Amino acid sequence: MDRQVVAGGAADCVLALGFEQMARGALGAGKGAGDFASSPVARHYGVMAARHGFAASLPTAQIFGNAAREHMDRYGTTAEQLALVGVKNHRHSTANPRAQFREEYTLEQVLSAKTIHAPLTRLQCSPTSDGAAAVLVAGERFVRTQGLTDRAVEILGQAMATDTEESFASGSCIDVVGRPMSRAAAQAAYRESGLGIEDVDVIELHDCFSINELLSYEALGMCAEGESGKLIAEGATGYGGRWVVNPSGGLISKGHPLGATGLAQCAELVWQLRGEADGRQVAGARVGLAHNIGLGGAAVVTLLRRL
């Protein structure tokens, strides 16, 4: 919206602000299948319940945990590969002074942490978070007249996609939690920017649960469908790999204040592209990608480049 206001000439510079103060406890805690009847996620949980039932555990953890089970059954993804997402992102957060958690964990510690909904353990799940983020969206004329050219980061492409029938037709939690709409948003952003995933250096993506980071690898075109477990096991998404994914620590460790998450991702990428990320700096980063989703459902992908 703010980008459209500036691009359309209605304003030269717009402040985008997001914030969240979340209630104590897990998102959706205490809700049963019937409580979602009039909710935007009613159909999503209906698909899950038809295939997996509706358990007593936290609803959001259930739907993503069941997506993880399906991925394991379909592609041979392992519990260790899922846990490596938590290992990587908690390790990344140790260099981020703004992260909610800054403790490193071994693979064994992630695997042995409290199970939230198998195979997901606590250290593979984003926490309840309070937080805020803000960015300035400005037009070229404003940037030039204010002498900000050497600080500017350009939005090369940006797209939003929502659920279509593809999200539900398969009856799979993998699709219900957003892989199709994330893929559609990414492809549209690539078309607008003229770039592809091979041009990207650093990525902030929506790792609300470890499985969603793996599903996002596939949706963004980083690997073939079903190959995301191998991708993280090979070290392709950490420092020294092909991309650095979630250098901030991601939602799992940096935190997930819902209304601030998307802008926080963009802020991290701006710091990375300016070379201002200090101990978590991705060397030589020129192009960044932000990926954000919400069930019920929408996905946004943004491609950024340092001028």
Side-chain angles (χ1 to χ4, degrees):
M1 178 70 175
D2 293 319
R3 183 197 178 199
Q4 292 172 329
V5 168
V6 174
D12 288 332
C13 184
V14 175
L15 173 67
L17 174 67
F19 59 91
E20 194 77 50
Q21 185 172 14
M22 298 177 70
R24 292 183 64 85
L27 185 66
K31 290 189 176 183
D35 295 312
F36 292 102
S38 60
S39 164
V41 295
R43 194 175 179 190
H44 302 69
Y45 283 105
V47 168
M48 180 191 76
R51 185 162 183 169
H52 299 281
F54 204 100
S57 57
L58 304 171
T60 50
Q62 277 189 68
I63 199 166
F64 282 96
N66 287 325
R69 292 179 184 182
E70 291 178 22
H71 207 272
M72 296 169 81
D73 291 342
R74 188 183 304 178
Y75 303 117
T77 307
T78 67
E80 288 77 12
Q81 289 169 342
L82 286 161
L84 283 173
V85 174
V87 173
K88 172 180 69 67
N89 292 347
H90 283 292
R91 182 173 65 245
H92 287 181
S93 73
T94 62
N96 184 2
R98 297 176 178 85
Q100 185 172 353
F101 301 109
R102 299 185 63 192
E103 188 170 347
E104 189 168 355
Y105 298 95
T106 65
L107 178 61
E108 291 72 23
Q109 287 174 313
V110 174
L111 286 167
S112 63
K114 178 183 177 181
T115 297
I116 303 302
H117 189 83
L120 303 179
T121 66
R122 181 178 63 85
L123 295 174
Q124 300 174 59
C125 304
S126 57
T128 299
S129 308
D130 296 342
V135 301
L136 289 174
V137 182
E140 183 179 353
R141 181 179 61 182
F142 182 91
V143 169
R144 186 175 60 254
T145 58
Q146 297 298 315
L148 298 172
T149 303
D150 63 342
R151 303 269 298 158
V153 170
E154 179 183 11
I155 301 175
L156 294 174
Q158 187 173 56
M160 183 181 78
T162 59
D163 285 316
T164 65
E165 191 56 32
E166 186 182 3
S167 298
F168 308 103
S170 67
S172 168
C173 287
I174 289 173
D175 291 335
V176 163
V177 298
R179 188 170 66 179
M181 65 180 178
S182 291
R183 183 189 303 117
Q187 291 173 348
Y190 295 151
R191 287 194 298 270
E192 181 184 359
S193 67
L195 300 179
I197 191 63
E198 66 277 3
D199 300 302
V200 174
D201 303 302
V202 56
I203 299 170
E204 283 284 313
L205 59 73
H206 199 279
D207 61 315
C208 51
F209 298 91
S210 59
I211 180 58
N212 206 54
E213 177 157 330
L214 297 189
L215 295 178
S216 299
Y217 293 171
E218 298 169 15
L220 296 174
M222 299 165 68
C223 64
E225 195 171 287
E227 296 294 316
S228 54
K230 295 178 183 177
L231 194 72
I232 191 164
E234 293 167 356
T237 58
Y239 289 89
R242 174 60 189 84
W243 303 273
V244 179
V245 176
N246 289 330
S248 68
L251 282 57
I252 284 175
S253 198
K254 180 257 295 170
H256 186 19
L258 302 181
T261 287
L263 290 177
Q265 291 176 325
C266 291
E268 174 66 25
L269 291 176
V270 168
W271 291 322
Q272 290 286 346
L273 298 178
R274 286 178 176 170
E276 298 175 348
D278 300 323
R280 65 189 186 281
Q281 180 65 50
V282 176
R286 296 293 300 174
V287 177
L289 183 150
H291 160 265
N292 192 24
I293 70 163
L295 291 184
V300 178
V301 171
T302 304
L303 283 158
L304 303 170
R305 180 175 64 190
R306 175 72 182 272
L307 287 177

